[in-house]
Amino acid sequence: MRTLDHTRKIVQGERLLSIYYTAGYPTLESTLNIAATLEKSGADFLEIGIPYSDPVADGPVIQESSQKALRNGMSLKVLFEQLKPLREQVQIPVFLMGYFNTILQYGVEKFCADCQAVGVDGAIIPDLPLYEYEEMYQPIFEKYGISNVFLVTPQTSDERIRKIDALSTSFIYLLSSNATTGKQLQVEDRSEAYFARIKNMGLSSPIVIGFGISNRETHQKATNYANGAIVGTAFVRVLGKENVAAADISEFIASFK
Amino acid sequence: MSQYQVDDRGYYGPFGGAYVPEMLYPNVEELQNEYQNIIQDPSFREDFVKLLKDYVGRPSPLYLANRLSEKYGARIFLKREDLNHTGAHKINNTIGQILLAERLGKKRIIAETGAGQHGVATATVCALKGLECVVYMGEIDIERQAPNVARMKMMGATVVPATSGSKTLKDATNEALRDWINNPVDTHYIIGSVVGPHPYPDMVARFQSIISEETRKQLVEQTGSSHADHVIACVGGGSNAAGMFYHFLDDEAVNLIAVEAAGHGVNSGESAATTALGREGVLHGSRSILMQTEDGQVIEPYSISAGLDYPGIGPQHAWLFKSGRGTFVSATDDEAMQAGLLLTKLEGIIPAIESAHALAHLEKMTFKGDETVVICLSGRGDKDLDNYMKYFGF
């Protein structure tokens, strides 16, 4: 069985490249193939998005991919069915990222149990607050060994970051700026100062930077301060091209190396 | 403290909370920490009351509708929020929130709007205070509600079309939340209903509570008692109902009736009757009851009334429903349109179609003796003339 210690070791690496994409996009059946291709191409770990009708933290590109995925018939039920052979094909860590309502309706305990059953390592749920997680859901996540990943933004207080660090069992998802997904990261003094501030806090959890990471330059810049960085919108754009093939995915990943 | 008011964790029973992405946490936390101090401050109270009196025209009358009373065999009062400046109860909230935004030092105001009533009320107070105003409105609603778009623009607001999803109120709300995520420091988001993350539902309800505060005083003046047997209001998100119920919540002898929009019929597939069709879930920052698929995808509601076609209700209303304190019913498009016409003919008052839903419930009630009924006439029907004309062929 996969353990969180194993996952945590992997995300403690250097200059890691993580990729986000929406489940069921561009086609309903593409989810697992894309994961396998990404691993072969050299991605270090993955976030698979659970499509939702009202994704408030996302910009237009990921919104559209979610809508398309929903029209394709994607749901958590379908996704877990598709992920049954996940660990026959993919060994790198996999996280599911989605909005809380879809998980609440599926059942938080069933969600965690199914994650464990198919070998998903953790979940990123942007609109599940820290308070509600601690009060209601932490024991369930722990029971099934599923990591809940918290977000930190430039406005998050040091005190709150310390608390998040203590609760984190895999990595902390550091937002490059206060923004929705798909905005180009402006690598400027302000963001570098913020990355440096976090780095100098000496947190025990690995740090992975996301939002606005779209190319080699922004990835390099971010990983000067963090264990890894996550590319979402730029990759979803690649998937949106007509007749996208495995070679397009490999080429995209290679451009970061 | 009242069991029907928000607790110190931001919940009404199991409903409420602040289910927002971390990006919005500092904004919401700032409001949570500050709103009570600010709105209880005497200088805030003074400014608020003065503007409500001199600018909005409060107190709004409580009018004993004689011919309507005669028809239904009860003593029916109308709380005339339709006579407020800008034509609806929405302005009570935007006045409160603009004063709050000023005290928080915010320079830019954003809002969502469906039919445009809240957008107009927000643009109005921004003009009043000289603050930048951006209103998100569904692309489809912009086409349907041209006069309100023009009003907002005349007052200097920027109206941004929401082009995502179903291109209506729920998507306008999503776009406003996205704007707030991208502009966390200088911007205040004026939510138009008793929805959203804590403290919005409580804050908006407090600003709207002026409705029932006045009503109880006016009842004493006119009947010798502050008691009403039935208090009726329409519910989309539920802000006029929250204000109308507020000072009656702890008086269990008062029957609180919330009327949702049933559209073409509760089970027609084209409805906005949230409590009849919805389940517990999380939308726009709070845990409440919402219309959704089995997979938790939010369903686009339908009503002839643009102010009631929201897929959720405020968390306090969800609690009133679940605890049994409130009676939740619904009225169809047809029932509301007929009730609107009836009020016009009997009393010379053309109600907003939203408010006509509350009036429509009278047809389903039976009264014994001299029961007192208060109905919140939340808005005037000028904005709905097109709909009335099309429906009745005038």
Side-chain angles (χ1 to χ4, degrees), chain A residues 53-55 105 132 137 160, chain B residues 11 22 178 280 287 297:
Chain A
S53 55
D54 296 80
Q105 300 310 322
E132 274 73 11
Y137 303 114
R160 191 169 164 87
Chain B
Y11 277 83
E22 187 67 23
R178 288 179 188 121
E280 290 183 26
R287 196 187 267 250
Q297 309 297 341

Side-chain angles (χ1 to χ4, degrees), chain B residues 283-334:
Chain B
L283 178 67
H284 295 147
S286 64
R287 196 187 267 250
S288 185
I289 295 173
L290 62 121
M291 291 167 57
Q292 54 185 322
T293 66
E294 193 189 332
D295 299 326
Q297 309 297 341
V298 181
I299 290 173
E300 188 60 28
Y302 163 80
S303 164
I304 193 169
S305 147
L308 300 181
D309 62 354
Y310 183 72
I313 51 172
Q316 185 182 41
H317 290 305
W319 181 225
L320 296 181
F321 172 71
K322 189 165 178 170
S323 66
R325 176 68 188 95
T327 305
F328 283 70
V329 297
S330 64
T332 63
D333 286 359
D334 292 337

Side-chain angles (χ1 to χ4, degrees), chain A residues 236-248:
Chain A
V236 172
R237 260 200 199 103
V238 171
L239 294 181
K241 285 181 193 161
E242 251 178 81
N243 304 319
V244 63
D248 296 307

Side-chain angles (χ1 to χ4, degrees), chain B residues 146-305:
Chain B
N148 273 343
V149 175
R151 284 185 184 100
M152 288 185 267
K153 287 184 175 167
M154 283 176 73
M155 288 184 282
T158 306
V159 181
V160 181
T163 56
S164 61
S166 53
K167 304 178 176 61
T168 59
L169 176 60
K170 137 182 120 63
D171 307 283
T173 308
N174 292 339
E175 288 303 333
L177 284 166
R178 288 179 188 121
D179 180 309
W180 210 22
I181 288 172
N182 286 290
N183 299 284
V185 180
D186 67 339
T187 297
H188 177 67
Y189 177 18
I190 300 189
I191 294 183
S193 193
V194 285
V195 301
H198 175 65
Y200 277 103
D202 182 47
M203 195 162 71
V204 177
R206 285 179 193 231
F207 292 144
Q208 293 294 359
S209 71
I210 187 76
I211 299 173
S212 48
E213 189 184 317
E214 288 174 1
T215 298
R216 294 209 85 156
K217 279 187 206 145
Q218 291 163 324
L219 279 171
V220 173
E221 288 163 16
Q222 296 186 39
T223 71
S225 157
S226 69
H227 178 75
D229 297 294
H230 310 278
V231 172
I232 309 175
C234 64
V235 171
S239 69
N240 90 82
M244 187 72 246
F245 294 167
Y246 200 93
H247 291 283
F248 291 102
L249 285 171
D250 292 324
D251 187 349
E252 306 264 355
V254 180
N255 182 22
L256 304 177
I257 303 172
V259 186
E260 296 181 321
H264 293 146
V266 170
N267 296 311
S268 65
E270 288 181 286
S271 170
T274 304
T275 56
L277 298 169
R279 295 194 316 279
E280 290 183 26
V282 171
L283 178 67
H284 295 147
S286 64
R287 196 187 267 250
S288 185
I289 295 173
L290 62 121
M291 291 167 57
Q292 54 185 322
T293 66
E294 193 189 332
D295 299 326
Q297 309 297 341
V298 181
I299 290 173
E300 188 60 28
Y302 163 80
S303 164
I304 193 169
S305 147

Side-chain angles (χ1 to χ4, degrees), chain A residues 29 34 36 38 50 52 54-55 80 89 97 104 106 146 151 162 211 214 241 243 256:
Chain A
E29 301 297 335
I34 292 171
L38 282 169
I50 306 160
Y52 180 47
D54 296 80
F80 279 122
Q89 299 182 35
M97 183 163 186
L104 185 66
Y106 191 76
I146 302 304
L151 273 52
R162 298 265 175 222
F211 285 41
S214 58
K241 285 181 193 161
N243 304 319
F256 285 83

Side-chain angles (χ1 to χ4, degrees), chain A:
Chain A
M1 199 178 85
R2 300 176 66 83
T3 66
L4 272 183
D5 284 348
H6 172 73
T7 308
R8 188 159 171 132
K9 257 186 212 120
I10 294 173
V11 294
Q12 261 163 351
E14 281 178 21
R15 294 214 189 272
L16 300 174
L17 175 63
S18 179
I19 299 291
Y20 168 95
Y21 65 98
T22 308
Y25 180 82
T27 67
L28 181 63
E29 301 297 335
S30 56
T31 317
L32 196 52
N33 287 338
I34 292 171
T37 309
L38 282 169
E39 178 171 38
K40 278 193 206 100
S41 308
D44 296 299
F45 61 101
L46 306 178
E47 286 93 49
I48 300 177
I50 306 160
Y52 180 47
S53 55
D54 296 80
V56 293
D58 287 302
V61 173
I62 293 180
Q63 285 172 40
E64 275 158 32
S65 71
S66 293
Q67 289 230 326
K68 177 89 192 296
L70 290 173
R71 283 199 301 272
N72 288 343
M74 182 46 73
S75 66
L76 261 179
K77 202 170 147 193
V78 171
L79 179 59
F80 279 122
E81 199 58 41
Q82 290 183 350
L83 292 181
K84 272 184 180 163
L86 172 71
R87 291 308 176 192
E88 293 159 24
Q89 299 182 35
V90 177
Q91 295 315 309
I92 56 178
V94 172
F95 296 82
L96 297 187
M97 183 163 186
Y99 293 84
F100 186 53
N101 196 51
T102 52
I103 295 165
L104 185 66
Q105 300 310 322
Y106 191 76
V108 176
E109 175 136 20
K110 188 168 184 306
F111 173 81
C112 289
D114 286 358
C115 281
Q116 185 190 45
V118 302
V120 163
D121 302 275
I124 308 165
I125 311 167
D127 60 342
L128 174 60
L130 198 59
Y131 172 81
E132 274 73 11
Y133 173 73
E134 275 188 288
E135 285 290 304
M136 292 184 264
Y137 303 114
Q138 192 179 356
I140 302 172
F141 277 74
E142 283 173 354
K143 179 177 166 192
Y144 295 96
I146 302 304
S147 177
N148 184 37
V149 177
F150 298 97
L151 273 52
V152 161
T153 80
Q155 268 80 40
T156 310
S157 68
D158 281 7
E159 185 193 354
R160 191 169 164 87
I161 293 173
R162 298 265 175 222
K163 188 168 185 185
I164 285 171
D165 187 35
L167 280 172
S168 294
T169 48
S170 54
F171 66 93
I172 291 176
Y173 193 133
L174 192 72
L175 266 62
S176 62
S177 63
N178 234 78
T180 42
T181 56
K183 298 234 159 141
Q184 175 75 28
L185 173 62
Q186 303 297 322
V187 184
E188 54 192 28
D189 292 349
R190 199 163 43 126
S191 53
E192 295 221 38
Y194 154 62
F195 295 161
R197 170 170 78 89
I198 303 296
K199 190 176 183 181
N200 293 332
M201 282 182 76
L203 302 175
S204 61
S205 310
I207 303 291
V208 180
I209 295 177
F211 285 41
I213 312 296
S214 58
N215 52 27
R216 187 172 189 280
E217 186 206 353
T218 44
H219 181 265
Q220 289 286 323
K221 204 66 138 179
T223 53
N224 286 341
Y225 300 93
N227 302 80
I230 303 169
V231 179
T233 298
F235 182 66
V236 172
R237 260 200 199 103
V238 171
L239 294 181
K241 285 181 193 161
E242 251 178 81
N243 304 319
V244 63
D248 296 307
I249 295 175
S250 310
E251 196 184 310
F252 181 79
I253 299 300
S255 74
F256 285 83
K257 301 286 171 173

